[in-house]
Amino acid sequence: MNDIYTLTAEVVTDASPQEIWDAWNNPEKVAKWWGPAGFTSTVDELNVQAGGKMRITMHGPDGVDYPNIYTFDEIHPLSQLIYTNEGSEQFDLAPFQSVVDIQENAGKTKLSLKMRFVSQEEKDKHVNQFHADEGSRQLLERLGEQAKA
């Protein structure tokens, strides 16, 4: 896939791939790590399998709720998740696909998140309005922390 409109975030964590995988599949943990620093989330549905859904509402520190619906396109246990965000009429956002890679390396785990947008305009909206560049990195850091908790 052409990654011209892709936003990438990467972190390295002490959590093992198994701990990361478990944190992805535990709604209580997802509620604690999904979203940027300062956010909490409510998980209404979590079905981590191809065709499964994740329905989640992020609660921002500004009091705004950000409902999101994702469909898991591909699942490769312990190594990769590919999912599509259906977009948002509320915030005028088109659907986009994300790829999360989980790679063990020298006793640590590298997490990378690629958000693939349909246009530069959509990518810019996510970065400029929602700080998706910093927020994506924070989400991965929080995932690593909750995986170890």
Side-chain angles (χ1 to χ4, degrees), residues 67-134:
N68 287 271
I69 300 173
Y70 304 87
T71 299
F72 290 102
D73 303 314
E74 292 180 43
I75 299 296
H76 304 279
L78 303 176
S79 65
Q80 187 180 65
L81 303 100
I82 302 174
Y83 52 91
T84 299
N85 179 308
E86 75 170 23
S88 170
E89 286 186 28
Q90 177 184 359
F91 297 104
D92 190 31
L93 300 173
F96 65 93
Q97 187 180 65
S98 295
V99 178
V100 175
D101 287 308
I102 305 165
Q103 299 173 312
E104 188 171 12
N105 185 4
K108 296 198 180 276
T109 302
K110 178 181 172 184
L111 299 173
S112 63
L113 169 61
K114 289 183 179 180
M115 300 168 68
R116 296 172 166 161
F117 299 101
V118 296
S119 68
Q120 187 65 44
E121 177 186 11
E122 283 296 316
K123 180 181 175 184
D124 290 346
K125 274 192 221 177
H126 281 80
V127 171
N128 297 329
Q129 294 177 22
F130 302 101
H131 311 287
D133 46 353
E134 182 65 19

Side-chain angles (χ1 to χ4, degrees), residues 5 10 13 18 21 29 39 51 55-56 71 104 127 131-132 148:
Y5 308 123
E10 294 182 346
T13 179
Q18 184 66 57
W21 189 253
K29 286 197 175 199
F39 279 69
R55 296 177 194 274
I56 193 163
T71 299
E104 188 171 12
V127 171
H131 311 287
K148 289 298 287 182

Side-chain angles (χ1 to χ4, degrees), residues 19-95:
E19 289 169 323
I20 296 295
W21 189 253
D22 292 346
W24 258 102
N25 285 275
N26 180 330
E28 292 176 9
K29 286 197 175 199
V30 172
K32 293 177 183 174
W33 65 260
W34 190 265
F39 279 69
T40 60
S41 293
T42 301
V43 178
D44 295 311
E45 181 179 354
L46 181 64
N47 184 7
V48 184
Q49 64 178 356
K53 298 275 188 197
M54 179 169 70
R55 296 177 194 274
I56 193 163
T57 301
M58 298 187 319
H59 310 290
D62 57 1
V64 177
D65 287 341
Y66 301 89
N68 287 271
I69 300 173
Y70 304 87
T71 299
F72 290 102
D73 303 314
E74 292 180 43
I75 299 296
H76 304 279
L78 303 176
S79 65
Q80 187 180 65
L81 303 100
I82 302 174
Y83 52 91
T84 299
N85 179 308
E86 75 170 23
S88 170
E89 286 186 28
Q90 177 184 359
F91 297 104
D92 190 31
L93 300 173

